[in-house]
């Protein structure tokens, strides 16, 4: 198995760092190949703009999706973007490792998605989306640390269900480009639990990461389940 981990935490000794190291060690020991993009360590620039391209379609008006379509045809993605795309096409499974920040992705990881997941048929577009997406057949999973404990993210909890908070990432990003989305691995309140509890989380994560091909997935509907208006057909 070829695993691509995109790691987004500014502190190497954070619990996020521990999770990524645990995953890498477990996978390598089991004979798998691992590539990690440690976005802060790389100094990844998350800000989209003409820096995304070596080509120019319209020098007077910047339309990102039009520039992406042009770059897809002419091989015009900037080297830092092309390198991340190559890792996506190389992998069998993608892991996004991040702390929940403001109910979402840290900006550096959101910017990675904004820049790397290019339209014009390269990563999506031209009828390539959801189960007909470019990455159909590959798996993806979010591994997320969360400041709050489980009850506040339950169905009746103050912050709302974690599944709804992660929907824009799991469905709107990962499934949108074709990945089969594995149920997220969630670590609640790592700074407020005991060291023993943190070790248990790390052990459970090693198990989950070695089980990626079998791990249960989120059962999103397929394109064929929708009518011409993209509304679910009634049975
Ligand atoms: P750390 O604080 O780095 O680590 C936790 C503990 O684990 C530390 O004691 C560390 O020493 C220990 N540790 C590290 N390595 C190991 C190891 N190998 N073995 C055992 N222990 C280890 N929370 C929310 O719930 N919702 C939000 O919307 C939200 N928004 C945020 C926005 C911002 C901008 C920020 C900064 C935080 C936000 N938070 C939010 C909190 C955030 O989600 C948590 O602080 C984060 O998830 C904790 O993970 P960490 O890796 O940073 O933990």
């Amino acid at each position: 198995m070829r695993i691509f981990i995109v790691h987004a935490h500014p502190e190497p000794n954070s619990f996020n760092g521990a999770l990524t190291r645990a995953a890498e060690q477990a996978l390598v020991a089991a004979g798998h190949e691992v590539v990690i993009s440690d976005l802060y360590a790389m100094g990844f620039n998350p800000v989209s703009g003409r820096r995304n391209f070596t080509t120019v379609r319209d020098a007077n008006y910047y339309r990102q999706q039009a520039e992406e379509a042009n770059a897809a045809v002419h091989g015009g993605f900037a080297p830092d973007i092309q390198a991340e795309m190559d890792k996506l096409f190389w992998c069998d499974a993608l892991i996004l490792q991040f702390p929940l920040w403001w109910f979402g992705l840290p900006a550096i990881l959101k910017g990675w998605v904004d820049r790397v997941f290019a339209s014009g048929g390269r990563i999506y577009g031209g009828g390539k989306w959801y189960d007909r997406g470019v990455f159909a057949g590959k798996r993806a999973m979010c591994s997320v640390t969360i400041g709050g404990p489980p009850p506040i993210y339950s169905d009746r909890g103050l912050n709302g269900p974690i599944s709804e908070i992660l929907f824009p990432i799991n469905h709107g990003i990962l499934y949108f480009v074709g990945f089969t989305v594995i149920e997220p691995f969630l670590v609640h309140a790592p700074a407020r639990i005991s060291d023993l509890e943190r070790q248990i989380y790390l052990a459970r994560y090693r198990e989950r990461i070695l089980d990626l091909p079998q791990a249960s997935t989120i059962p999103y509907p397929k394109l064929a389940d929708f009518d011409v208006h993209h509304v679910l057909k009634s049975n």
Side-chain angles (χ1 to χ4, degrees):
M1 205 171 32
R2 296 192 285 203
I3 315 297
F4 176 29
I5 301 174
V6 184
H7 177 87
H9 198 291
E11 169 54 56
N13 292 318
S14 64
F15 200 66
N16 277 261
L19 288 162
T20 289
R21 282 190 295 279
E24 182 182 24
Q25 287 161 8
L27 288 164
V28 169
H32 302 294
E33 294 175 72
V34 183
V35 166
I36 300 172
S37 282
D38 182 343
L39 299 183
Y40 283 95
M42 292 158 66
F44 184 81
N45 187 338
V47 180
S48 265
R50 294 201 182 274
R51 66 172 57 83
N52 294 7
F53 311 102
T54 57
T55 47
V56 176
R57 179 178 180 272
D58 184 342
N60 298 315
Y61 194 113
Y62 178 72
R63 294 176 186 83
Q64 181 157 322
Q65 289 176 312
E67 293 294 341
E68 288 171 347
N70 183 57
V73 172
H74 296 104
F77 290 104
D80 62 338
I81 303 299
Q82 187 60 55
E84 297 307 300
M85 288 177 171
D86 290 346
K87 297 172 199 174
L88 285 166
F89 284 101
W90 166 85
C91 75
D92 301 310
L94 168 70
I95 308 293
L96 301 183
Q97 176 65 58
F98 61 94
L100 189 71
W101 279 7
W102 291 111
F103 283 37
L105 297 172
I108 199 168
L109 181 51
K110 177 57 166 51
W112 179 87
V113 175
D114 289 347
R115 295 188 68 210
V116 176
F117 282 29
S119 79
R122 185 72 175 120
I123 305 291
Y124 73 94
K128 297 178 195 169
W129 60 339
Y130 294 117
D131 54 300
R132 290 177 211 146
V134 166
F135 298 121
K138 296 176 188 275
R139 295 188 144 216
M141 184 181 81
C142 293
S143 172
V144 192
T145 64
I146 302 165
I152 201 169
Y153 287 101
S154 64
D155 285 355
R156 298 178 61 216
L158 180 62
N159 286 357
I162 193 66
S163 58
E164 289 184 12
I165 290 169
L166 296 179
F167 181 86
I169 305 164
N170 282 328
H171 188 283
I173 296 172
L174 296 173
Y175 181 42
F176 188 87
V177 298
F179 286 104
T180 297
V181 183
I182 297 169
E183 292 284 355
F185 186 82
L186 306 175
V187 175
H188 282 278
R192 291 196 251 158
I193 58 179
S194 69
D195 191 52
L196 175 62
E197 288 171 301
R198 286 194 288 264
Q199 298 308 326
I200 292 169
Y201 267 125
L202 289 171
R204 280 184 43 220
Y205 190 50
R206 285 187 202 94
E207 283 174 20
R208 169 70 77 89
I209 212 84
L210 292 175
D211 191 42
L212 285 180
Q214 290 83 36
S216 63
T217 58
I218 303 174
Y220 292 129
K222 298 188 183 312
L223 286 170
D225 298 328
F226 294 84
D227 65 18
V228 290
H229 305 292
H230 300 132
V231 174
L232 270 177
K233 295 172 188 167
S234 47
N235 292 324

